[in-house]
Amino acid sequence: MKSKRGGLRQTLFAAIALLSGVASAAAGSAGSSAVEPVEVSARPIAEFHISHADKQFGPLEFVGGLEMTSPTRDFGALSAFRFLKAGSDFIGVADTGFWFFGTVVRDADNRPSGIQNFRMQQMVNEAGRAIDEKWEVDAEGLAVKDGVATVGFERDHHVAQFKIDPADMKASFKQLDFLVPARELRQNRGFETVTHANANGQHEGGLVVVSEKSLDKAGNIYAAIIEGPHKGVFTVKRNGDFDITDGAFLPDGDLLLLERSFSMARGVKMRLRRIYGESVEKGAVADGPVLLEADMGYQIDNMEGLDVWTRNDGALMVSLISDDNHSILQRNLYLEFILHQD
């Protein structure tokens, strides 16, 4: 039986479809593009399964999480993030056209306990002016490598690169060819996954992009390898009514995808799916098994961002964040798991 809290949250989620678009469009203020320090309060989450003490969910072991709140108007709509320092300093993008930076703080048992030094900066154009039109800066996907952030944008579909400077992010210095025909990309279903393949794998560290829900005639999801020796378009097999919201490559070359499903009747669901690395190739239909599926009986929300990193003790970690759409009915969550490989 679901907890009363889970049932209440499911009822509240039924209103999101009506409110989230309006709330997101209203967020983000015109004017300065200066870096803005943001006060973030974080309530630790000890149980992933609400009112249950179990920690193991298939190959994933729940470590801990945070529910983040802030009085700052621009805080929220967190779409994607990547760690700049494993498990600590991070960079991210909000779909309202903001960069964000911060640090995950840990307790004596190495569980997340808070967020420090959180900052936000509005994205700017070539003239250094803040971009206020959401359709121009609907940032959804993010990859980082060698001091460069690569961002996938929806609505005005493009993939752009930026030099990482937490003190002063500038305009994009390069636009990338994402290979998928633009006519095949749905307005609000573009590239939510932007990630680098493994440096020693077949794609030699090249960028891979996966759309949220831009479907081919067979009902599979458009994706592409846009860098490296084997560039080309491929698709990911759509499994049920789940859409893809982020992804990152695992050390063995498999691609871990974060997926989301929503309906007015049952609320939101989250899923992690492991795509076989050898199926990520030009012309292929990539597929793989589901590792975890969770509904509103669990501590989830609109899960949008994912990163994979290695802890000091060698544990392979998976971190997730949610996008609250600037809605009072939703939450900004950070969740952390160990992915056991045996």
Side-chain angles (χ1 to χ4, degrees):
M1 179 181 294
K2 292 184 179 179
S3 69
K4 291 182 179 179
R5 180 178 178 183
L8 175 60
R9 287 172 54 228
Q10 180 166 328
T11 301
L12 292 175
F13 249 97
I16 290 170
L18 299 176
L19 297 178
S20 63
V22 175
S24 290
S29 56
S32 174
S33 62
V35 176
E36 176 187 14
V38 175
E39 177 188 349
V40 175
S41 299
R43 180 184 68 84
I45 297 172
E47 297 175 346
F48 178 57
H49 192 181
I50 297 173
S51 300
H52 292 76
D54 42 326
K55 297 290 185 182
Q56 199 70 37
F57 305 92
L60 290 142
E61 178 185 346
F62 184 62
V63 174
L66 302 169
E67 181 177 345
M68 301 173 289
T69 58
S70 175
T72 301
R73 180 173 180 263
D74 292 324
F75 179 77
L78 312 179
S79 292
F81 84 111
R82 302 291 185 190
F83 281 112
L84 299 174
K85 180 180 178 182
S88 178
D89 299 339
F90 57 81
I91 178 177
V93 291
D95 65 18
T96 47
F98 281 81
W99 298 99
F100 62 86
F101 296 86
T103 302
V104 176
V105 181
R106 300 183 176 277
D107 63 17
D109 295 316
N110 211 16
R111 294 173 300 204
S113 60
I115 301 291
Q116 288 185 349
N117 198 26
F118 196 93
R119 298 96 69 205
M120 300 187 76
Q121 181 189 353
Q122 199 165 359
M123 293 180 175
V124 299
N125 59 21
E126 290 77 4
R129 294 187 176 184
I131 304 172
D132 298 316
E133 297 294 335
K134 178 178 169 64
W135 66 270
E136 294 185 76
V137 283
D138 188 354
E140 298 287 352
L142 173 67
V144 296
K145 182 180 180 181
D146 298 333
V148 172
T150 305
V151 181
F153 294 87
E154 288 185 336
R155 301 176 195 259
D156 176 18
H157 297 294
H158 60 290
V159 178
Q161 293 190 309
F162 304 78
K163 293 181 180 178
I164 298 174
D165 180 0
D168 187 15
M169 293 294 292
K170 303 292 189 183
S172 166
F173 70 87
K174 187 177 183 180
Q175 300 286 324
L176 301 181
D177 182 355
F178 48 75
L179 300 185
V180 177
R183 67 179 182 275
E184 300 292 356
L185 296 174
R186 310 303 175 257
Q187 182 182 20
N188 198 32
R189 295 289 187 268
F191 296 120
E192 297 227 358
T193 297
V194 181
T195 184
H196 287 279
N198 291 5
N200 298 321
Q202 61 177 329
H203 302 303
E204 300 180 4
L207 282 162
V208 174
V209 296
V210 184
S211 68
E212 178 185 3
K213 189 190 172 184
S214 290
L215 307 179
D216 68 3
K217 292 180 180 179
N220 297 317
I221 298 170
Y222 273 108
I225 305 138
I226 65 173
E227 288 183 335
H230 306 293
K231 294 193 295 184
V233 176
F234 69 101
T235 57
V236 177
K237 184 175 179 60
R238 191 164 189 240
N239 188 327
D241 60 354
F242 281 81
D243 303 328
I244 298 169
T245 59
D246 207 350
F249 279 89
L250 299 171
D252 67 357
D254 287 350
L255 175 60
L256 186 66
L257 292 179
L258 174 63
E259 300 180 316
R260 175 194 59 216
S261 171
F262 173 76
S263 75
M264 298 289 282
R266 65 172 184 266
V268 71
K269 288 186 177 182
M270 177 206 85
R271 191 166 70 182
L272 289 171
R273 186 155 59 120
R274 186 172 192 151
I275 302 300
Y276 298 121
E278 59 269 24
S279 68
V280 179
E281 62 177 2
K282 180 179 178 180
V285 179
D287 197 4
V290 173
L291 302 186
L292 170 68
E293 185 172 320
D295 59 18
M296 297 192 70
Y298 295 77
Q299 290 283 8
I300 67 166
D301 208 278
N302 175 34
M303 308 309 297
E304 287 250 343
L306 172 149
D307 199 16
V308 172
W309 51 284
T310 302
R311 205 165 60 181
N312 289 340
D313 61 1
L316 182 60
M317 309 299 295
V318 177
S319 293
L320 311 175
I321 59 168
S322 69
D323 173 356
D324 71 342
N325 287 306
H326 284 290
S327 167
I328 61 172
L329 304 180
Q330 295 178 258
R331 300 180 295 164
N332 295 294
L333 301 180
Y334 171 82
L335 305 175
E336 194 170 286
F337 299 84
I338 299 172
L339 176 56
H340 294 283
Q341 299 287 74
D342 49 10

